[in-house]
Amino acid sequence: MTIKITPPSEPIATTSLVVTLFGQPGIGKTTLAFSASRPLLLDFDGGAQRAMGRKDIVRVKQWADVAEIAQADVANYDTIILDTVGRALEFLAADLVKNDPKLARKSGELAMQGYGALKTAFAQWLGRIRTFGKHVILIAHEKEEKDGDTTIVRVDAMGATRVEVIRLSDLVGFVAAVNGKRTLDFNPTDKHTGKNCAGFDVLEIPHIAQSPAYLAGIMAEALSRMNAATDAQRESEAKLAQWLVVIGELETAEEINRAIQTIPQDIIVKRALAGRAKTLGLVWSGSTFAYPKETADAAA
Amino acid sequence: MLPHNDWRREIYRASRLDEFRRYQGGEHFDGSEYTAADFIERLTTHTESPAMAAGTAVHAVIEEAAFGDLPEETSRNGWHIRFDLDAELHLPAAREIPLYREHKGIPLFGRVDAIDAVSVHDVKTTSAIDVDRYVDSMQWKAYCWMSGRRSFVYDILRVKVEADIQVVTVLEYVPLPLTAYPGLDRDVESLLEEYDSAIRALGIGEKLAA
């Protein structure tokens, strides 16, 4: 058993997304999901036939139907939709318990160990789909939870596995009807949860019949924004590294004080400068760094 | 920047904002009424539960470690700490970094566990991982606002605390990455204004100064 601390890896370009869409039944989550790029819907709930703009659907009766899904099986699709992720997790849980009854309590509910196994198995399955280079859309029902006087709407998934659904999703969007218009909001608010890696404002969902590739466009825009942010991150890291080198080469109080005027007002750079000043034996006089004797003379 | 002994350094901390939201909601976690007196007490007195003390001990071990393997068992602050998991914790080198920012003259202080050029990391210990609580919290939003970073990671450690024998066992590691959204700055600033109004209305500064 080991826990190892390592530096964060370099940001890498994103090529596929995991998107969670949640909202009340009948709001149009599945219809919206069908407007993603070349979708294949895995129908765990048996409700996909009600959606408009239906595309290819696989009726799933047990987890074994999808457990060994291979790259060749989904070669003609860009997006795999799980409808609903809550029901998919129930199927997966049943499969795990069938193979290892100790994962369930006598009441049939998953034991703590069972939830751990479920989280791991789901993350592994999702990870495998992503290695195929496919987008994944997780459709979920909503769940209202009281937080003091306010009610907050959250993703409904099986107990502790909600951690994995939220953690693994790049975008978590709430589908709702506001003033007669359907909206998709990835922003976390006081009213609902959300995850917005692409910085979208609240989006008004058009009629999917008129915009059959609506979600495909949103997801392409998300990828573009996220990768632009990755480029910006690399640039920030490179600039920071350059500044740390510059600071490490400062040798005198005069150089340090000149640097105060020119360094970026960034917490790491400022601390590095203060650290360098300390290494050189300088002390802060209130407005500049100076050698201790100069500071004492100035005070006298 | 405020003087080191100014009471506002203690009260205007990012971690207080979530306490304030609970007070605004009017209920404690157990559903009982959250009164102004409760809020004042929370802000002005410091009581550390065994779970908090155990978390502080785990934090200290991680803070002091640079990179590489942590010992499977170690001791800190009177707690015996066991790392009963296989995990890789990605943490930037700059640790325990203080943050400060003002909005309309209202200060906000914080201290992040680790930070690099792009993201802020905060290590949390908990007995049960409630992902919604972390996603909904103001703390990560405030840290993004204060640091100028748009990425945040909660490094969540699930722990078992045996207070009677002063043992804490780390069982699971879950990184929860979050990203700033368009309205984040506005959300933090407006809550900070409401918080400041409440602090003034409740006379907390006068109580601390007295």
Side-chain angles (χ1 to χ4, degrees), chain B residues 59-157:
Chain B
H59 258 88
V61 173
I62 292 169
E63 182 195 332
E64 289 161 22
F67 294 115
D69 293 341
L70 290 181
E72 272 187 45
E73 302 203 10
T74 186
S75 295
R76 197 68 88 250
N77 306 350
W79 285 84
H80 186 70
I81 301 160
R82 290 186 189 137
F83 290 97
D84 189 12
L85 75 168
D86 283 311
E88 198 168 324
L89 202 160
H90 300 294
L91 219 52
R95 311 268 167 89
E96 288 294 314
I97 304 297
L99 299 177
Y100 172 74
R101 187 170 169 182
E102 279 184 20
H103 166 67
K104 293 186 178 173
I106 309 164
L108 191 64
F109 294 87
R111 180 176 287 272
V112 296
D113 290 324
I115 188 169
D116 61 19
V118 293
S119 45
V120 175
H121 286 246
D122 202 48
V123 179
K124 294 287 183 195
T125 53
T126 178
S127 59
I129 297 172
D130 177 355
V131 68
D132 297 311
R133 188 162 64 90
Y134 295 114
V135 173
D136 295 342
S137 94
M138 276 317 279
Q139 195 182 19
W140 74 268
K141 299 170 190 171
Y143 285 163
C144 283
W145 178 74
M146 282 193 281
S147 66
R149 276 31 172 198
R150 308 309 285 171
S151 298
F152 186 95
V153 182
Y154 274 122
D155 294 292
I156 308 169
L157 298 170

Side-chain angles (χ1 to χ4, degrees), chain A:
Chain A
M1 292 282 174
T2 54
I3 181 163
K4 187 176 188 176
I5 301 182
T6 60
S9 50
E10 223 183 88
I12 52 169
T14 309
T15 54
S16 65
L17 294 173
V18 176
V19 180
T20 295
L21 300 174
F22 72 109
Q24 58 183 294
I27 196 72
K29 302 181 291 292
T30 306
T31 302
L32 174 61
F34 272 135
S35 70
S37 176
R38 297 201 301 164
L40 171 68
L41 186 134
L42 305 180
D43 185 9
F44 292 87
D45 251 5
Q49 75 280 0
R50 291 192 299 268
M52 287 163 54
R54 280 197 306 277
K55 306 272 174 64
D56 290 357
I57 297 172
V58 173
R59 274 296 299 274
V60 183
K61 295 192 175 66
Q62 56 185 344
W63 184 255
D65 297 345
V66 295
E68 299 301 327
I69 208 163
Q71 190 157 14
D73 298 331
V74 291
N76 295 327
Y77 304 98
D78 295 334
T79 311
I80 310 300
I81 304 166
L82 272 69
D83 190 2
T84 59
V85 63
R87 192 84 180 110
L89 286 163
E90 286 172 20
F91 281 24
L92 176 55
D95 189 69
L96 291 169
V97 171
K98 196 170 91 183
N99 293 323
D100 184 358
K102 289 199 296 291
L103 296 176
R105 296 199 182 97
K106 282 179 186 165
S107 62
E109 272 178 59
L110 278 186
M112 178 90 93
Q113 211 184 353
Y115 275 113
L118 180 63
K119 268 171 34 178
T120 306
F122 181 64
Q124 283 173 349
W125 185 85
L126 206 56
R128 202 156 61 84
I129 299 290
R130 292 195 85 181
T131 62
F132 302 160
K134 309 295 175 190
H135 300 302
V136 178
I137 297 177
L138 307 173
I139 295 179
H141 291 308
E142 66 174 44
K143 179 174 168 180
E144 287 191 350
E145 287 182 2
K146 286 278 283 177
D147 187 3
D149 284 345
T150 55
T151 300
I152 186 155
V153 183
R154 289 176 171 147
V155 174
D156 189 12
M158 262 185 98
T161 51
R162 199 152 56 163
V163 175
E164 291 306 295
V165 172
I166 302 290
R167 191 174 79 80
L168 298 170
S169 298
D170 301 293
L171 295 163
V172 176
F174 179 53
V175 184
V178 179
N179 299 327
K181 291 183 172 155
R182 285 188 313 134
T183 58
L184 174 59
D185 191 359
F186 294 108
N187 296 294
T189 70
D190 289 345
K191 304 260 184 296
H192 60 79
T193 195
K195 202 171 170 187
N196 191 357
C197 294
F200 286 121
D201 287 316
V202 182
L203 303 166
E204 190 179 311
I205 303 170
H207 200 287
I208 295 300
Q210 270 104 55
S211 304
Y214 175 69
L215 195 57
I218 294 296
M219 289 169 70
E221 174 66 19
L223 272 180
S224 161
R225 290 187 187 192
M226 286 163 68
N227 288 329
T230 303
D231 291 342
Q233 285 181 357
R234 280 208 199 93
E235 204 176 304
S236 299
E237 283 183 343
K239 274 187 190 158
L240 176 63
Q242 281 171 2
W243 274 110
L244 296 184
V245 169
V246 168
I247 288 167
E249 289 171 350
L250 300 176
E251 292 294 344
T252 65
E254 194 186 2
E255 285 175 353
I256 293 276
N257 289 326
R258 216 167 27 233
I260 293 173
Q261 310 302 321
T262 53
I263 59 167
Q265 293 303 299
D266 180 86
I267 185 75
I268 295 181
V269 178
K270 287 199 287 188
R271 281 181 71 85
L273 188 68
R276 182 64 188 157
K278 196 177 168 189
T279 304
L280 294 172
L282 303 173
V283 291
W284 183 244
S285 68
S287 58
T288 55
F289 282 104
Y291 294 101
K293 188 178 175 309
E294 292 173 13
T295 311
D297 290 349

